[in-house]
Amino acid sequence: MLFDDLRGKSALITGASGGLGQHFAEQLASYGVAVTLAARRRGALEHACAKIIASGGNARAIQMDVTDSASVAAALSGNCFDILINNAGISGASRALDLGEVEWDRVLDTNLKGVFVVSQAVARGMKAKGRGGAIVNIASILGQRVAGNLSAYAASKAGVIHLTKALALEWARDGLRVNALCPGYIETDINREFFTSAAGLELIKRIPQRRLGQPQELDGALLLLASDAGSYITGSSIEVDGGHLVSSL
Ligand code: NAD
């Protein structure tokens, strides 16, 4: 059966203390994957793990700041994973003329350097184990088209899409697949309120399907890229966006 190979595998999900990362961890756990949830806030991670364990899943938490390679090395030392979901990310919203170096670094360090640092550490373990692996980078449609006041975010996500291809090329011979999932606007706790405002409702009108996506609508693409169902897919990006990228110019 499709996705059966996931049972018994192990996965690391970054930024899993809430939002999409927590949802991805719950989803993979429901397919029998032993999930390790990583983020900076231990309390929120423990809470997310307890929820998975209460539904019969196998979950544990590790505290990690993806912008800090020493923190990543310490957290991952001695761990091997079959699947990595690079989900940790932040946005920031400033006009380019007002965007300070601190914000630029924070966004690029989290969204782009973080993906590289964690991928490198996990890929070393995957290669040593010799069983291959699947890496899924959560990018964004803003890595393919732009919107106002999000220059750092858009540049970081475009970088993630290109990094995905570069890593896919280098690691294919070791049986590692590296792909990107590019969500459009997905309703989560952090944006729910904005999308009830006038600006938010205006934005929804520009999505061809005229609605926000729900986290579970990313599951098909996530499971495809993480499992053997996607065994010949590497270096690809899959957009899940209600047609937002093909909206009329
Ligand atoms: P969120 O803010 O709810 O979740 C982000 C997670 O990343 C949190 O758990 C946070 O603690 C973690 N994180 C942030 N900085 C970190 C760091 N330095 N080290 C470790 N963890 C860190 O946001 P979300 O909407 O769930 O977004 C998840 C991912 O999906 C992000 O990469 C985001 O860019 C991407 N995305 C989201 C949407 C959307 O509409 N929600 C659309 C496109 C892309």
Side-chain angles (χ1 to χ4, degrees), residues 55 76 88 107:
S55 343
L76 297 187
V107 173

Side-chain angles (χ1 to χ4, degrees), residues 14-22 24 38-41 44-45 63-68 71 86-91 106 109-111 114 137-142 153 156-157 181-191 195 212-213 218:
T14 68
S17 57
L20 297 180
Q22 183 178 352
F24 294 148
R40 294 161 302 175
R41 293 174 297 152
L45 281 172
Q63 208 166 2
M64 178 205 288
D65 181 341
V66 301
T67 66
D68 176 355
S71 149
N86 274 311
N87 165 81
I90 56 172
S91 63
R106 214 165 53 86
D109 282 359
T110 308
N111 296 3
N137 296 326
I138 308 304
S140 167
I141 55 170
L142 281 157
Y153 183 79
S156 73
K157 293 298 189 179
L181 199 171
C182 300
Y185 289 96
I186 309 296
E187 188 174 357
T188 60
D189 288 345
I190 56 161
N191 60 27
F195 283 112
L212 298 173
L218 300 173

Side-chain angles (χ1 to χ4, degrees), residues 80 123-131:
C80 272
R124 283 181 177 143
M126 285 173 168
K127 186 175 174 179
K129 210 168 167 189
R131 281 187 9 194

Side-chain angles (χ1 to χ4, degrees), residues 184-215:
Y185 289 96
I186 309 296
E187 188 174 357
T188 60
D189 288 345
I190 56 161
N191 60 27
R192 191 166 288 115
E193 203 178 315
F194 167 71
F195 283 112
T196 60
S197 70
L201 292 170
E202 212 35 58
L203 202 156
I204 292 172
K205 283 193 198 149
R206 297 201 293 274
I207 303 171
Q209 287 194 355
R210 297 288 189 278
R211 66 173 179 86
L212 298 173
Q214 295 301 315

